[in-house]
Each structure stands twice: as C-alpha cells, then as structure tokens.
Amino acid sequence: VKRVIKKTPASKNFSKNATVLTGMTFDEMWDIVSDREDVLKSKTIDSILIQPVKRFPNYIMLFKRLQGKVLKASDPSDPVHEKLKRVVELCQKITGKIDQIIQSEGKVRNLLGID
C-alpha cells in the first residue's frame, strides 16, 4: 500500500521548520517551540509531562460524584452502578501505581545524588 501525503501550506511549514530544528539539542528545540505556542509559554517539559499524572485524582472525584448522582437518579440494580464502581477502583489503582513509581524514582534519585 503506497501512502500519499498531500502537501498543504501547514505541512510545508512544518517540513521547513523541522529542517531548521535539525541538529539542535532538545532544550534548544523546546525553547523555540514553547516560545511560538501560547499554551506552552513559560512551561518546562517536566510540567507538561506531569499533567496527565496529576489528573487521575480528579478523575476519581469526578467518577465518584457521577456514581452518587446516578445512584440517586436510577434503580440501584442498574448495571451502570457496578461499572462506575469499577471505573473508580481502576482509577484508584492507577493512581496508586503512579504514586509508587514516583516514590521509587525519588529513592533512585536520592541514591544517585540527583536533585
């Protein structure tokens, strides 16, 4: 299967910009990209990468609230209750695993003397 990529003005600009970025360090590229994009201005790559991790506790609260509202508005035997309960449990499990990984990384950093 042969792929055909239609060149649009945006893709032409991307190709030109990608060529300009070749040979730079990641930090240099990040500085250029983050300066051009309003949502990235004054943010570090670490702060961007941690955002999804920080969201899981919010998901737990969201699904718990939803679970309470659904329980009040429907029959307790409705299968959706069990599904929402499972979603909350999975989010809690994922959050626990994330916390374990963060703690382990901190211990490794301490052992290696990395801040």
Side-chain angles (χ1 to χ4, degrees), residues 9-22 24 29 32-33 36-37:
S11 66
K12 286 179 186 174
N13 284 339
F14 177 77
S15 297
K16 186 169 40 172
N17 291 339
T19 303
V20 170
L21 296 176
T22 303
M24 294 180 162
M29 285 188 271
I32 290 170
V33 171
R36 290 181 185 171
E37 299 295 328

PDB file of all heavy atoms in Angstrom, residues 9-22 24 29 32-33 36-37:
ATOM      1  N   PRO A   9      -0.198  23.960   2.945  1.00  0.00           N
ATOM      2  CA  PRO A   9       0.686  25.018   3.441  1.00  0.00           C
ATOM      3  C   PRO A   9       1.221  24.728   4.846  1.00  0.00           C
ATOM      4  O   PRO A   9       2.375  24.960   5.127  1.00  0.00           O
ATOM      5  CB  PRO A   9      -0.200  26.261   3.418  1.00  0.00           C
ATOM      6  CG  PRO A   9      -1.199  25.980   2.346  1.00  0.00           C
ATOM      7  CD  PRO A   9      -1.442  24.498   2.418  1.00  0.00           C
ATOM      8  N   ALA A  10       0.363  24.178   5.713  1.00  0.00           N
ATOM      9  CA  ALA A  10       0.803  23.876   7.076  1.00  0.00           C
ATOM     10  C   ALA A  10       1.876  22.796   7.073  1.00  0.00           C
ATOM     11  O   ALA A  10       2.871  22.892   7.786  1.00  0.00           O
ATOM     12  CB  ALA A  10      -0.383  23.439   7.924  1.00  0.00           C
ATOM     13  N   SER A  11       1.700  21.744   6.259  1.00  0.00           N
ATOM     14  CA  SER A  11       2.698  20.676   6.242  1.00  0.00           C
ATOM     15  C   SER A  11       3.992  21.158   5.612  1.00  0.00           C
ATOM     16  O   SER A  11       5.068  20.734   5.994  1.00  0.00           O
ATOM     17  CB  SER A  11       2.169  19.437   5.525  1.00  0.00           C
ATOM     18  OG  SER A  11       1.958  19.697   4.160  1.00  0.00           O
ATOM     19  N   LYS A  12       3.914  22.076   4.667  1.00  0.00           N
ATOM     20  CA  LYS A  12       5.134  22.643   4.085  1.00  0.00           C
ATOM     21  C   LYS A  12       5.889  23.436   5.147  1.00  0.00           C
ATOM     22  O   LYS A  12       7.097  23.339   5.258  1.00  0.00           O
ATOM     23  CB  LYS A  12       4.794  23.540   2.889  1.00  0.00           C
ATOM     24  CG  LYS A  12       4.380  22.769   1.662  1.00  0.00           C
ATOM     25  CD  LYS A  12       4.041  23.714   0.527  1.00  0.00           C
ATOM     26  CE  LYS A  12       3.487  22.916  -0.642  1.00  0.00           C
ATOM     27  NZ  LYS A  12       3.005  23.772  -1.715  1.00  0.00           N
ATOM     28  N   ASN A  13       5.142  24.220   5.951  1.00  0.00           N
ATOM     29  CA  ASN A  13       5.789  24.976   7.020  1.00  0.00           C
ATOM     30  C   ASN A  13       6.417  24.046   8.039  1.00  0.00           C
ATOM     31  O   ASN A  13       7.507  24.292   8.526  1.00  0.00           O
ATOM     32  CB  ASN A  13       4.794  25.895   7.733  1.00  0.00           C
ATOM     33  CG  ASN A  13       4.468  27.128   6.921  1.00  0.00           C
ATOM     34  OD1 ASN A  13       5.233  27.503   6.036  1.00  0.00           O
ATOM     35  ND2 ASN A  13       3.356  27.755   7.229  1.00  0.00           N
ATOM     36  N   PHE A  14       5.714  22.954   8.362  1.00  0.00           N
ATOM     37  CA  PHE A  14       6.258  22.012   9.325  1.00  0.00           C
ATOM     38  C   PHE A  14       7.565  21.430   8.810  1.00  0.00           C
ATOM     39  O   PHE A  14       8.544  21.356   9.532  1.00  0.00           O
ATOM     40  CB  PHE A  14       5.265  20.887   9.629  1.00  0.00           C
ATOM     41  CG  PHE A  14       5.832  19.868  10.565  1.00  0.00           C
ATOM     42  CD1 PHE A  14       5.908  20.132  11.917  1.00  0.00           C
ATOM     43  CD2 PHE A  14       6.324  18.660  10.091  1.00  0.00           C
ATOM     44  CE1 PHE A  14       6.454  19.211  12.789  1.00  0.00           C
ATOM     45  CE2 PHE A  14       6.868  17.737  10.956  1.00  0.00           C
ATOM     46  CZ  PHE A  14       6.932  18.014  12.299  1.00  0.00           C
ATOM     47  N   SER A  15       7.583  21.019   7.549  1.00  0.00           N
ATOM     48  CA  SER A  15       8.798  20.442   6.979  1.00  0.00           C
ATOM     49  C   SER A  15       9.939  21.445   7.021  1.00  0.00           C
ATOM     50  O   SER A  15      11.063  21.107   7.372  1.00  0.00           O
ATOM     51  CB  SER A  15       8.556  19.989   5.540  1.00  0.00           C
ATOM     52  OG  SER A  15       7.593  18.977   5.511  1.00  0.00           O
ATOM     53  N   LYS A  16       9.636  22.700   6.683  1.00  0.00           N
ATOM     54  CA  LYS A  16      10.662  23.730   6.690  1.00  0.00           C
ATOM     55  C   LYS A  16      11.154  23.957   8.119  1.00  0.00           C
ATOM     56  O   LYS A  16      12.345  24.031   8.372  1.00  0.00           O
ATOM     57  CB  LYS A  16      10.093  25.032   6.101  1.00  0.00           C
ATOM     58  CG  LYS A  16      11.133  26.120   5.942  1.00  0.00           C
ATOM     59  CD  LYS A  16      10.678  27.314   5.131  1.00  0.00           C
ATOM     60  CE  LYS A  16       9.264  27.728   5.402  1.00  0.00           C
ATOM     61  NZ  LYS A  16       8.893  28.987   4.754  1.00  0.00           N
ATOM     62  N   ASN A  17      10.216  24.031   9.082  1.00  0.00           N
ATOM     63  CA  ASN A  17      10.600  24.240  10.474  1.00  0.00           C
ATOM     64  C   ASN A  17      11.356  23.046  11.028  1.00  0.00           C
ATOM     65  O   ASN A  17      12.281  23.206  11.804  1.00  0.00           O
ATOM     66  CB  ASN A  17       9.369  24.515  11.338  1.00  0.00           C
ATOM     67  CG  ASN A  17       8.743  25.857  11.023  1.00  0.00           C
ATOM     68  OD1 ASN A  17       9.394  26.737  10.481  1.00  0.00           O
ATOM     69  ND2 ASN A  17       7.482  26.009  11.359  1.00  0.00           N
ATOM     70  N   ALA A  18      10.954  21.831  10.634  1.00  0.00           N
ATOM     71  CA  ALA A  18      11.640  20.636  11.107  1.00  0.00           C
ATOM     72  C   ALA A  18      13.079  20.634  10.625  1.00  0.00           C
ATOM     73  O   ALA A  18      13.986  20.237  11.349  1.00  0.00           O
ATOM     74  CB  ALA A  18      10.906  19.386  10.638  1.00  0.00           C
ATOM     75  N   THR A  19      13.295  21.090   9.401  1.00  0.00           N
ATOM     76  CA  THR A  19      14.648  21.153   8.869  1.00  0.00           C
ATOM     77  C   THR A  19      15.481  22.145   9.670  1.00  0.00           C
ATOM     78  O   THR A  19      16.635  21.892   9.993  1.00  0.00           O
ATOM     79  CB  THR A  19      14.623  21.584   7.381  1.00  0.00           C
ATOM     80  OG1 THR A  19      13.804  20.669   6.673  1.00  0.00           O
ATOM     81  CG2 THR A  19      16.000  21.591   6.784  1.00  0.00           C
ATOM     82  N   VAL A  20      14.886  23.264  10.035  1.00  0.00           N
ATOM     83  CA  VAL A  20      15.587  24.275  10.820  1.00  0.00           C
ATOM     84  C   VAL A  20      15.978  23.711  12.184  1.00  0.00           C
ATOM     85  O   VAL A  20      17.037  24.011  12.708  1.00  0.00           O
ATOM     86  CB  VAL A  20      14.701  25.531  10.994  1.00  0.00           C
ATOM     87  CG1 VAL A  20      15.301  26.501  11.993  1.00  0.00           C
ATOM     88  CG2 VAL A  20      14.492  26.209   9.660  1.00  0.00           C
ATOM     89  N   LEU A  21      15.110  22.860  12.762  1.00  0.00           N
ATOM     90  CA  LEU A  21      15.357  22.316  14.089  1.00  0.00           C
ATOM     91  C   LEU A  21      16.394  21.199  14.110  1.00  0.00           C
ATOM     92  O   LEU A  21      16.905  20.854  15.166  1.00  0.00           O
ATOM     93  CB  LEU A  21      14.045  21.812  14.702  1.00  0.00           C
ATOM     94  CG  LEU A  21      12.977  22.884  14.954  1.00  0.00           C
ATOM     95  CD1 LEU A  21      11.705  22.223  15.470  1.00  0.00           C
ATOM     96  CD2 LEU A  21      13.454  23.946  15.904  1.00  0.00           C
ATOM     97  N   THR A  22      16.722  20.637  12.962  1.00  0.00           N
ATOM     98  CA  THR A  22      17.678  19.537  12.907  1.00  0.00           C
ATOM     99  C   THR A  22      19.034  20.001  13.421  1.00  0.00           C
ATOM    100  O   THR A  22      19.495  21.082  13.104  1.00  0.00           O
ATOM    101  CB  THR A  22      17.820  19.031  11.453  1.00  0.00           C
ATOM    102  OG1 THR A  22      16.540  18.652  10.997  1.00  0.00           O
ATOM    103  CG2 THR A  22      18.753  17.853  11.369  1.00  0.00           C
ATOM    104  N   MET A  24      19.806  20.569  16.581  1.00  0.00           N
ATOM    105  CA  MET A  24      19.713  21.274  17.865  1.00  0.00           C
ATOM    106  C   MET A  24      19.550  20.273  18.996  1.00  0.00           C
ATOM    107  O   MET A  24      19.096  19.156  18.787  1.00  0.00           O
ATOM    108  CB  MET A  24      18.495  22.207  17.873  1.00  0.00           C
ATOM    109  CG  MET A  24      18.563  23.331  16.912  1.00  0.00           C
ATOM    110  SD  MET A  24      17.051  24.294  17.102  1.00  0.00           S
ATOM    111  CE  MET A  24      17.546  25.793  16.330  1.00  0.00           C
ATOM    112  N   MET A  29      15.388  23.084  21.005  1.00  0.00           N
ATOM    113  CA  MET A  29      14.135  22.920  20.263  1.00  0.00           C
ATOM    114  C   MET A  29      12.940  23.293  21.133  1.00  0.00           C
ATOM    115  O   MET A  29      12.025  23.957  20.683  1.00  0.00           O
ATOM    116  CB  MET A  29      13.980  21.477  19.760  1.00  0.00           C
ATOM    117  CG  MET A  29      14.860  21.148  18.588  1.00  0.00           C
ATOM    118  SD  MET A  29      14.474  19.543  17.903  1.00  0.00           S
ATOM    119  CE  MET A  29      15.528  18.502  18.872  1.00  0.00           C
ATOM    120  N   ILE A  32      12.427  27.006  21.382  1.00  0.00           N
ATOM    121  CA  ILE A  32      11.841  27.576  20.162  1.00  0.00           C
ATOM    122  C   ILE A  32      10.358  27.254  20.076  1.00  0.00           C
ATOM    123  O   ILE A  32       9.525  28.137  19.858  1.00  0.00           O
ATOM    124  CB  ILE A  32      12.585  27.061  18.909  1.00  0.00           C
ATOM    125  CG1 ILE A  32      13.988  27.660  18.865  1.00  0.00           C
ATOM    126  CG2 ILE A  32      11.810  27.397  17.638  1.00  0.00           C
ATOM    127  CD1 ILE A  32      14.881  27.036  17.811  1.00  0.00           C
ATOM    128  N   VAL A  33      10.010  25.989  20.262  1.00  0.00           N
ATOM    129  CA  VAL A  33       8.612  25.564  20.140  1.00  0.00           C
ATOM    130  C   VAL A  33       7.755  26.212  21.219  1.00  0.00           C
ATOM    131  O   VAL A  33       6.669  26.712  20.948  1.00  0.00           O
ATOM    132  CB  VAL A  33       8.498  24.019  20.198  1.00  0.00           C
ATOM    133  CG1 VAL A  33       7.062  23.575  20.295  1.00  0.00           C
ATOM    134  CG2 VAL A  33       9.171  23.403  18.976  1.00  0.00           C
ATOM    135  N   ARG A  36       6.841  29.802  20.582  1.00  0.00           N
ATOM    136  CA  ARG A  36       5.893  30.016  19.473  1.00  0.00           C
ATOM    137  C   ARG A  36       4.458  29.677  19.853  1.00  0.00           C
ATOM    138  O   ARG A  36       3.518  30.176  19.246  1.00  0.00           O
ATOM    139  CB  ARG A  36       6.284  29.163  18.263  1.00  0.00           C
ATOM    140  CG  ARG A  36       7.540  29.634  17.590  1.00  0.00           C
ATOM    141  CD  ARG A  36       7.847  28.766  16.400  1.00  0.00           C
ATOM    142  NE  ARG A  36       9.118  29.147  15.817  1.00  0.00           N
ATOM    143  CZ  ARG A  36       9.733  28.467  14.884  1.00  0.00           C
ATOM    144  NH1 ARG A  36       9.199  27.347  14.428  1.00  0.00           N
ATOM    145  NH2 ARG A  36      10.877  28.870  14.405  1.00  0.00           N
ATOM    146  N   GLU A  37       4.263  28.783  20.801  1.00  0.00           N
ATOM    147  CA  GLU A  37       2.931  28.305  21.160  1.00  0.00           C
ATOM    148  C   GLU A  37       2.497  28.914  22.485  1.00  0.00           C
ATOM    149  O   GLU A  37       3.140  28.692  23.516  1.00  0.00           O
ATOM    150  CB  GLU A  37       2.923  26.768  21.267  1.00  0.00           C
ATOM    151  CG  GLU A  37       3.287  26.061  19.987  1.00  0.00           C
ATOM    152  CD  GLU A  37       2.281  26.282  18.878  1.00  0.00           C
ATOM    153  OE1 GLU A  37       1.081  26.426  19.182  1.00  0.00           O
ATOM    154  OE2 GLU A  37       2.690  26.307  17.713  1.00  0.00           O
TER     155      GLU A  37
END
